[in-house]
Amino acid sequence: MRKLWLYLMFWWRSTNQHGIHSPFVFAMVTKCFYSKKNETIYSKLDNKSKDFKRAKFLCRFVKYFNFKTIYYPQHLSKNFKIALSSNPDSVVKIYSENVTHKLSFSKKDFFFFKSLPLNQVEEFNQLLEQCGNDSIVMIEDFRLCPRQFQYWKYLKSNPNVRVSIDTYFFGILCFRKEQNKEHFTIRL
């Protein structure tokens, strides 16, 4: 019942492309979030899996941004692994525990987290400090519990985070210095 209530509250507060005034976010939403193009990578995904729609979104996201390096956790569903490895131009790095240990950051990194690492607050803050201008951090399931959602609110207030997007299923943090600090709540 709590999840339904949270989703209804999200839906009430959220918008689509018509409520967005940032050119960067508007382009992302119209060309990536709401793209109707049938990508060839979709055929490799298991369409009977419950994460099929989210995996399709990840495929579009990875393709749209064309990241140089993609970091994702070792334990992911098959669909998510396919989606995050879908760009042949990207170097994929799988981490097991602490993603912030001994990383060499580039200007266009993508960090995917299955949930917020509540036991690694300081390390996660270091990650946010080291992200490049075109890097993006995406967190799935940041609404698992009230404590994680509070941590999400703390992260989006980080001075290095210029754009934060809540899609209910994913939290997205962008670091574009040329962007005014804004938070968006957008339906997928």
Side-chain angles (χ1 to χ4, degrees):
M1 190 68 171
R2 181 178 182 276
K3 281 189 173 189
L4 176 62
W5 175 251
L6 288 175
Y7 188 72
L8 290 173
M9 292 295 294
F10 165 82
W11 188 262
W12 180 258
R13 292 183 188 129
S14 65
T15 186
N16 57 19
Q17 73 269 21
H18 300 294
I20 298 172
H21 304 290
S22 163
F24 167 73
V25 177
F26 182 81
M28 180 192 325
V29 169
T30 55
K31 295 177 182 173
C32 173
F33 285 25
Y34 299 153
S35 173
K36 300 291 184 207
K37 188 176 177 187
N38 193 10
E39 302 291 341
T40 55
I41 191 72
Y42 295 167
S43 64
K44 294 181 181 178
L45 300 173
D46 177 7
N47 61 1
K48 291 179 176 64
S49 176
K50 65 180 181 175
D51 64 0
F52 177 66
K53 287 183 180 178
R54 291 186 202 182
K56 282 176 58 175
F57 169 73
L58 282 175
C59 288
R60 291 191 306 270
F61 197 82
V62 166
K63 181 178 181 181
Y64 178 76
F65 282 104
N66 194 25
F67 296 104
K68 185 175 178 185
T69 310
I70 297 173
Y71 296 90
Y72 68 81
Q74 190 172 19
H75 303 292
L76 276 184
S77 72
K78 182 181 173 191
N79 275 351
F80 276 24
K81 287 179 181 180
I82 291 169
L84 291 168
S85 303
S86 62
N87 186 356
D89 298 331
S90 298
V91 175
V92 175
K93 296 187 177 183
I94 301 169
Y95 63 90
S96 58
E97 299 243 347
N98 189 345
V99 71
T100 59
H101 252 33
K102 301 176 185 172
L103 291 181
S104 57
F105 292 88
S106 75
K107 295 181 183 207
K108 209 164 183 184
D109 290 326
F110 178 55
F111 299 93
F112 181 83
F113 293 88
K114 189 76 181 123
S115 63
L116 284 168
L118 293 174
N119 59 341
Q120 300 173 359
V121 174
E122 191 172 313
E123 292 89 349
F124 205 82
N125 283 329
Q126 287 175 359
L127 172 80
L128 297 183
E129 299 292 325
Q130 296 178 40
C131 282
N133 196 52
D134 296 322
S135 295
I136 293 180
V137 172
M138 182 182 286
I139 305 154
E140 185 188 29
D141 293 337
F142 64 97
R143 293 176 183 269
L144 280 177
C145 67
R147 188 169 165 224
Q148 284 209 342
F149 192 64
Q150 287 302 320
Y151 187 35
W152 160 254
K153 289 179 181 179
Y154 168 76
L155 291 177
K156 71 182 188 178
S157 69
N158 183 300
N160 293 331
V161 174
R162 305 302 292 193
V163 173
S164 58
I165 301 171
D166 176 356
T167 69
Y168 187 80
F169 302 105
F170 298 104
I172 301 168
L173 304 173
C174 305
F175 304 89
R176 298 168 39 88
K177 290 176 180 48
E178 63 272 19
Q179 181 89 23
N180 287 331
K181 189 168 183 72
E182 285 185 85
H183 175 71
F184 299 90
T185 305
I186 302 171
R187 296 185 285 272
L188 284 182

